[in-house]
Amino acid sequence: MSAERPVRSDRGRSGMFRTKTVEQSIQDTEEPEHSLRRDLSALDLTVFGVGVVIGTGIFVLTGKVAKENAGPAVALAFVLAGIVCGLAALCYAEFASTVPVAGSAYTFSYATLGELPAWIIGWDLILELALGCAVVAVGWSGYIQSLLANAGWHLPGALTGAHGGTFGFDLLAAVLVLVLTAILVAGMKLSSRVTAIVVGVKVTVVLIVIIVGAFFISGSNYQPFVPPSKGTEGGNGLAAPLVQLMFGFTPSNFGVMGIFSAAAVVFFAFIGFDIVATAAEETRNPQRDLPRGILGSLAICTVLYVAVSIVVTGMQKYDKLSTKAPLADAFKDAGHPFWAGLISFGAAVGLTSVCMILLLGQSRVFFAMSRDGLLPRFFSTVHPRFGTPYRSTILLGVVVAVVAGFTSIDVLAELVNIGTLFAFVVVALGVVVLRRTRPDLPRAFRTPFVPYVPVLSVLASLWLMLNLPAETWVRFAVWMVIGVVVYFVYGRRMSRVSQAQRSGPPTV
């Protein structure tokens, strides 16, 4: 084993807010036993971004939001949500190209805000990506079970998951997670090739939907494009949006405000583009390719979302759309069951890449925290042949497989949303802080109009967070409290930055 070298830090800070220098973060990537292999190009990163963003949202959320929130104007809601994500993407692009190290928002915040904020965001990302992957795996299992049922094959009820309060094990969801874990362990290049094939199939299906569906559009279905506004009752107690409990503001559906309400919903269809930043350390030319991958994948996904929403609301009147499978049902209503089946197949294939990339992002955040000593260093050793963080990948894959197999997590899925938005806020603030504290750093990509773009990103993210139910905030707070306890019990003492400040050699 190679000798460990102490980690330099900003000695102007101590305790919970000590920072780790950008130079040291980059230097750590050169340690042979803790160094990831650089195999990814800008195209690979773009494929990863498209692969994780284009999921069930494009096949389900478009019709659901059109029917319940915005009518045909849902296309404008996707544009607004794309702009909000674009603000965050500009901040991610600067950070990822300046600090091309695994860990994404965790690594960025360690260099700017300090160790405790870094731990909190890392702990948040682990929860966000684990639950996100489990939710997607369960959704994938549902599609596969439906396709098998169409062919006359049925799994035993005990192996189809928990439904309606009954206990069961979702075998397909667990198997999917374990297979994808094995692929991720086998190497980033293999993972990128599998993802490229899956994304190619998925995008082809989406383009077919757009092109074929365009022939069934009726202009009368767009009237009115912005339906008259309708008030909503909102939820009660902790089920109500936090903004309603705090200010008495009740969102409305349809009309101009309905477009903004819809944007708060469809925003979550974009979740995942930030995962591209977690692969920074495995990119051949991160300064050039990371901004291209982050911004390119977001632009492609926004165009596809807008196009699909225009087609589906043109094929069928918005108030007649299905909320479960709007695209497939719209083609059935038009008398074309073949295309409906193709859409269901595309959705099932698409979820495979979403699940894989969420697992990828989670393992890289865990790896970065382990390498810094905030989690056991045992998990930061890379495989001598494959060059992947195999220990952390296997551990997290098994945990997610168990969660996906045994747990019905519909409500917990909202924690994915609040976790992502919290990361957006931290990254935007970090760009402003690093511009002031380290103006000397070379920046291959610079976020324009700083601090205005980061401030707008923070405000937009906070607004969407306030539209989440109060109970989601309570669950998020509980997870954060658990994380803080773990930090003070283990991370604060074992941190390599802490050991360097005490002038003692770091332990393994």
Side-chain angles (χ1 to χ4, degrees), residues 251-473:
S252 63
N253 288 329
F254 306 109
V256 175
M257 290 306 298
I259 297 174
F260 286 94
S261 297
V265 177
V266 302
F267 165 81
F268 304 120
F270 288 93
I271 284 178
F273 75 87
D274 54 312
I275 292 178
V276 174
T278 67
E281 196 172 321
E282 293 157 280
T283 304
R284 297 192 198 110
N285 189 343
Q287 286 77 14
R288 181 195 66 190
D289 293 343
L290 279 166
R292 292 180 180 181
I294 293 172
L295 297 172
S297 60
L298 180 60
I300 292 171
C301 294
T302 301
V303 170
L304 291 177
Y305 274 133
V306 171
V308 167
S309 63
I310 290 173
V311 168
V312 73
T313 54
M315 289 181 63
Q316 195 172 25
K317 193 71 174 177
Y318 73 90
D319 56 0
K320 300 290 194 302
L321 287 169
S322 163
T323 58
K324 292 185 177 179
L327 281 179
D329 289 348
F331 276 97
K332 285 181 182 178
D333 186 67
H336 294 275
F338 169 78
W339 298 115
L342 183 65
I343 291 169
S344 297
F345 171 75
V349 171
L351 291 181
T352 306
S353 65
V354 177
C355 194
M356 174 183 280
I357 299 166
L358 289 171
L359 276 174
L360 165 73
Q362 181 192 33
S363 64
R364 271 46 179 182
V365 174
F366 196 96
F367 165 80
M369 296 176 72
S370 172
R371 188 167 57 187
D372 288 335
L374 296 176
L375 291 171
R377 291 269 287 169
F378 171 83
F379 294 106
S380 66
T381 300
V382 300
H383 195 282
R385 176 182 174 188
F386 301 127
T388 57
Y390 67 106
R391 291 173 178 172
S392 58
T393 302
I394 292 172
L395 170 68
L396 297 170
V398 171
V399 170
V400 172
V402 171
V403 172
F406 282 110
T407 313
S408 179
I409 44 182
D410 294 338
V411 176
L412 293 182
E414 288 180 333
L415 283 170
V416 179
N417 306 336
I418 195 169
T420 300
L421 289 164
F422 180 59
F424 284 5
V425 170
V426 170
V427 170
L429 291 174
V431 166
V432 178
V433 172
L434 199 63
R435 284 281 188 97
R436 292 182 176 275
T437 58
R438 293 297 308 275
D440 57 303
L441 284 175
R443 290 169 169 83
F445 179 90
R446 298 177 68 88
T447 303
F449 306 113
V450 173
Y452 304 108
V453 166
V455 168
L456 285 174
S457 179
V458 169
L459 294 176
S461 298
L462 288 176
W463 170 250
L464 293 179
M465 291 173 75
L466 289 175
N467 280 277
L468 291 170
E471 59 188 353
T472 300
W473 283 82

Side-chain angles (χ1 to χ4, degrees), residues 160-171:
T160 59
H163 303 287
T166 61
F167 180 80
F169 179 76
D170 196 327
L171 177 65

Side-chain angles (χ1 to χ4, degrees), residues 127-188:
L127 174 72
E128 170 202 336
L129 300 175
L131 289 181
C133 183
V135 170
V136 170
V138 171
W140 177 88
S141 174
Y143 274 106
I144 297 299
Q145 289 176 40
S146 176
L147 292 172
L148 291 176
N150 291 339
W153 299 341
H154 299 275
L155 288 175
L159 298 179
T160 59
H163 303 287
T166 61
F167 180 80
F169 179 76
D170 196 327
L171 177 65
L172 292 177
V175 168
L176 173 68
V177 173
L178 293 177
V179 169
L180 295 179
T181 298
I183 292 174
L184 288 171
V185 169
M188 179 58 86

Side-chain angles (χ1 to χ4, degrees), residues 77-267:
F78 274 112
V79 172
L80 286 174
I83 291 172
V84 172
C85 289
L87 294 172
L90 290 170
C91 299
Y92 268 92
E94 173 169 330
F95 246 135
S97 61
T98 306
V99 193
V101 178
S104 185
Y106 157 76
T107 301
F108 306 157
S109 56
Y110 209 160
T112 55
L113 304 178
E115 187 172 276
L116 179 59
W119 166 269
I120 289 174
I121 195 64
W123 187 251
D124 159 62
L125 288 172
I126 289 173
L127 174 72
E128 170 202 336
L129 300 175
L131 289 181
C133 183
V135 170
V136 170
V138 171
W140 177 88
S141 174
Y143 274 106
I144 297 299
Q145 289 176 40
S146 176
L147 292 172
L148 291 176
N150 291 339
W153 299 341
H154 299 275
L155 288 175
L159 298 179
T160 59
H163 303 287
T166 61
F167 180 80
F169 179 76
D170 196 327
L171 177 65
L172 292 177
V175 168
L176 173 68
V177 173
L178 293 177
V179 169
L180 295 179
T181 298
I183 292 174
L184 288 171
V185 169
M188 179 58 86
K189 196 60 184 176
L190 175 62
S191 304
S192 66
R193 288 171 179 167
V194 172
T195 303
I197 294 171
V198 172
V199 171
V201 172
K202 177 167 55 176
V203 172
T204 299
V205 171
V206 171
L207 292 176
I208 289 174
V209 168
I210 294 170
I211 295 170
V212 175
F215 289 97
F216 304 111
I217 289 176
S218 172
S220 61
N221 289 331
Y222 294 127
Q223 303 298 328
F225 189 75
V226 181
S229 178
K230 293 182 181 179
T232 59
E233 295 181 0
N236 296 315
L238 291 178
L242 187 63
V243 66
Q244 180 180 337
L245 297 179
M246 293 176 62
F247 307 113
F249 173 77
T250 304
S252 63
N253 288 329
F254 306 109
V256 175
M257 290 306 298
I259 297 174
F260 286 94
S261 297
V265 177
V266 302
F267 165 81

